Amino acid sequence: MEHAGRASADARVVPASSRRAAILALALGGFGIGTTEFVSMGLLPNIADSLDVSEPTAGHVISAYAIGVVVGAPLIAALTATMGRRALLIALMVAFTAGNLATVLAPSYATLLIARFVAGLPHGAYFGVAALVAAHLAPPGRRAAAVGQVMLGLSVANVAGVPAATWLGEHLGWRSAFAVVVVIGAATIVALRRSLPGLTDMRVTNPMTELGALGRSQVWFTLLIGVVGFGGMFAFYTYLNTTLTSMAGLSVSMVPIALMLYGLGMVAGNMVGGFAADRNLTAAILGGLLGTAVVLGLFAVCAQNAWAALLLTFLVGLAGTAMVPALQTRLMDVADDAQTLAAALNHSALNVANAAGAFLGGLVISAGLGYRAPSVLGAGLALSGVVVLVIALMAGRRSHRPA
């Protein structure tokens, strides 16, 4: 089998400019996925008014998408194991675009829920396969950087795609925001068809081989690091708006700027994390976890200082996202011949982290601990991720010890 760490035949024969075009096309798909995932949050009141439901009820469309991600990632990765990677990526983007088109055309709340679930199904599998393809095309020593470049689309969506689509949705109706995503999806399909090489030297597997990833302890350890570590970041992010206005004294008009700083931190984190992971994978994960714990702890201390809060918001985005390329690359390494399922599961784990972080952050606030508490909780979760990483490394060493 050709492992992700070796230079692929495609990487040797495809010119550098063509490799960049392929990775840009993959990142464009990530940009569309990131936009559709988060734009619903800013348009919930519009969706609720349009469909004559309460805002909490409208919030279920966000949950429907997240459930689609969690269910679709392992299911699609296993069932499509025998497909060529190029054809699979295009098919996933077609399904994603169709789900968002169904969102635009949904006549009722019930059909909207179904459409959001369908739109979420290809999310994890797309990112998992895209990461494998990026690593496959990358020159030696640049695997994680290539993975980070693909994930960059998701980060840029938070800086540009989500604010632009939200503005459009507020002025032309919420359906127009998802219509933009349909256009991005269609553009991605064209870009993938034009820029991706044949990828004929990427080995396909079968469902049983891919499901073998679930029997590997290091895969589970890596997924748990993501759930715990990113759970801390999402505990912070979910309640950031209220924290900044109630504690740092920022006006509501400043909140979008803070969110943009967070998104810029994510962009920087993808680039820094990819660079660091290509040099030392374990150190990159450890650095991301410790960095997240430190900046979340500092935010809890400095939350009443507006300038410090804004700076730390940027740094939380950077430190947390810096783990993504490293975790994605580690999953590909420890999965052996079940890389597609393992890589896709990373995004299921991140969605679990999103839900768990928001839930736990709400618990500590409801307990009367105030809006500093989610940051303190997040720091603790990030440190728990360090503990899981240490256990994973110790277990790995024991399994490789000679009898």
Side-chain angles (χ1 to χ4, degrees), residues 1 22 71 83 116 150 155 271 274 342 376 402:
M1 170 187 174
V71 171
M83 282 185 68
R116 295 315 294 155
V150 170
S155 301
M271 294 188 290
V376 177

Side-chain angles (χ1 to χ4, degrees), residues 232 235-236 239 243 247 296 299-300 303 360-381:
F236 160 85
Y239 304 98
T243 304
M247 297 196 66
L296 284 174
F299 186 92
L360 293 173
L363 279 184
V364 295
I365 292 172
S366 299
L369 300 177
Y371 279 90
R372 295 181 194 269
S375 299
V376 177
L377 170 71
L381 287 172

